[in-house]
Amino acid sequence: MHRLILILAFFTLINAQFLGQNRNSGVGIPYFEFRAFTQYKDSSATILVASEILYDDLSFIRETESYTAKYELAIYLQNEEQDETFGYITRTFEVETDHFAATNSRERKDKRSFQFSTKPGTYKLTSVVTDLNSDKKVKRDIELDIRDVADTQILVSDILFYEHNPANGEKLLSLTNNFSRDQSKVEILFKVASVKNAPINIRIEYLDAKENLISILLDSTYSGTRYIELEQNFDLKQSKASYNKIKIVATQDDQVSESTRDITFFWSEKPQTELDIDVALRQMKYIANTDSIETNLESNNTEDKIGYFDRYWQSI
């Protein structure tokens, strides 16, 4: 029992910085994640709206041999004052599972995505989830500033991360920017819009947390076009840091547009980089011999540090 408590306490400390649970989740309300991404094309834009809700945040009712949750998702696109509506979507979804344990899962999620076409301007996007089994509701608001390519001459859209459903290979939009070290192959998609037909140089930079250049992932020029859509796969397994940034730079003549998104990595079984093992060892000072921890932290040999980490946890 003591060993189990130690392990749980340690991994709670280690993973908190990467996997922290929102305080509104897991308390009996249909809390959900909600994000909006802007994709530019010509003088218009598409707002890609995505939501996901944990099975644990839904109310399931047993029906014969399965368990079913039902919820309504309503999304409204309005002006800042919310006295004019430009678009709305209302959908009802059912989530079904044969296993009771899955109804409390904090791994399984129901994911949905929708699109709104709109013009440049400032908007408020409101989403309401109603759990139809408990009648509880959660509301989320997002403010959006849609830029005009006519003002800037060239625009890079928001950067999208995608992941694949291991069960069927389906490509799913990822709301998170937090990935496992074992899930290091990251698929990104972005778009570039311009007002004129002229060569556009696309440069994808991989940066550290202080925006120092780690590597150039792509540097290519595309001729005679006003619109580019690029989908790229990158293996970032060798990233030494846990916090990084992906930056898209589009250049056409003397006009430049940029888009940046944070990307973070966490380890699930054992540390794999120097930074990861140092963070893990510092957290172990609460449960292991302090002198041993300090000695290993002073070492420049990452493999020796990981070896100590493995031996410690195998010994208790």
Side-chain angles (χ1 to χ4, degrees):
M1 177 63 71
H2 294 298
R3 180 175 183 272
L4 177 60
I5 293 173
L6 281 174
I7 291 175
L8 287 175
F10 172 72
F11 280 102
T12 298
L13 287 168
I14 288 297
N15 287 328
Q17 58 185 313
F18 303 114
L19 302 176
Q21 175 181 315
N22 189 289
R23 62 185 178 86
N24 294 313
S25 180
V27 295
I29 61 174
Y31 178 81
F32 64 105
E33 296 290 345
F34 182 54
R35 292 287 305 272
F37 305 93
T38 303
Q39 305 290 288
Y40 293 103
K41 186 175 182 179
D42 300 324
S43 60
S44 63
T46 298
I47 301 172
L48 181 58
V49 181
S51 70
E52 63 180 36
I53 184 167
L54 292 169
Y55 279 28
D56 188 43
D57 287 326
L58 289 169
S59 300
F60 285 83
I61 294 177
R62 182 166 185 174
E63 296 181 353
T64 315
E65 298 181 356
S66 64
Y67 302 86
T68 303
K70 298 179 182 180
Y71 72 95
E72 178 186 84
L73 174 62
I75 305 173
Y76 303 88
L77 180 66
Q78 299 174 301
N79 61 357
E80 286 184 278
E81 295 76 20
Q82 293 187 286
D83 57 11
E84 186 176 0
T85 300
F86 303 102
Y88 67 91
I89 295 171
T90 303
R91 298 285 189 277
T92 299
F93 300 106
E94 288 192 8
V95 181
E96 185 176 356
T97 178
D98 294 332
H99 306 286
F100 174 75
T103 67
N104 296 312
S105 172
R106 300 198 60 79
E107 300 294 331
R108 299 184 67 175
K109 306 172 183 178
D110 192 58
K111 298 186 176 186
R112 306 292 171 176
S113 61
F114 307 93
Q115 294 185 7
F116 291 97
S117 294
T118 189
K119 297 178 180 178
T122 301
Y123 300 91
K124 178 164 284 188
L125 199 61
T126 300
S127 182
V128 180
V129 163
T130 304
D131 188 319
L132 297 178
N133 287 338
S134 68
D135 204 34
K136 294 180 179 179
K137 298 183 179 183
V138 172
K139 177 183 174 183
R140 305 289 302 278
D141 289 319
I142 296 176
E143 292 187 357
L144 295 171
D145 186 17
I146 309 298
R147 293 177 290 171
D148 191 341
V149 70
D151 295 335
T152 60
Q153 304 299 298
I154 187 170
L155 280 173
V156 180
S157 72
D158 291 333
I159 300 171
L160 306 180
F161 292 145
Y162 282 92
E163 54 191 342
H164 292 269
N165 186 332
N168 56 22
E170 178 187 5
K171 186 167 73 172
L172 301 171
L173 178 64
S174 176
L175 272 68
T176 182
N177 60 342
N178 192 24
F179 298 91
S180 164
R181 291 259 185 220
D182 300 324
Q183 182 191 351
S184 59
K185 291 185 178 179
V186 178
E187 182 174 339
I188 70 171
L189 184 145
F190 63 93
K191 299 177 182 180
V192 179
S194 171
V195 297
K196 57 184 176 181
N197 288 310
I200 299 176
N201 177 261
I202 303 294
R203 179 182 168 101
I204 304 179
E205 299 176 350
Y206 191 44
L207 312 174
D208 65 18
K210 296 182 179 179
E211 300 199 2
N212 297 311
L213 181 66
I214 298 174
S215 63
I216 298 173
L217 302 177
L218 177 72
D219 191 344
S220 186
T221 299
Y222 300 82
S223 60
T225 182
R226 295 174 55 190
Y227 174 74
I228 297 173
E229 179 176 332
L230 282 181
E231 186 175 324
Q232 299 285 322
N233 290 277
F234 301 108
D235 191 342
L236 304 176
K237 191 177 184 66
Q238 301 307 315
S239 173
K240 294 183 179 180
S242 296
Y243 294 89
N244 302 280
K245 297 175 183 287
I246 289 180
K247 181 178 181 180
I248 313 295
V249 182
T251 305
Q252 187 180 57
D253 296 335
D254 59 346
Q255 304 295 325
V256 179
S257 180
E258 300 177 352
S259 183
T260 304
R261 188 171 180 186
D262 293 344
I263 182 168
T264 62
F265 294 95
F266 64 91
W267 54 270
S268 54
E269 295 184 5
K270 69 178 181 179
Q272 300 178 22
T273 69
E274 182 179 1
L275 177 63
D276 288 343
I277 186 61
D278 284 352
V279 171
L281 290 175
R282 289 192 186 96
Q283 297 289 356
M284 285 172 61
K285 68 182 180 180
Y286 298 103
I287 55 176
N289 182 282
T290 303
D291 291 339
S292 298
I293 295 297
E294 293 299 331
T295 299
N296 278 278
L297 283 172
E298 292 173 1
S299 171
N300 293 321
N301 191 314
T302 301
E303 290 185 3
D304 286 350
K305 294 179 182 179
I306 295 175
Y308 169 78
F309 178 91
D310 284 339
R311 290 192 299 275
Y312 177 84
W313 289 105
Q314 290 172 5
S315 68
I316 62 174

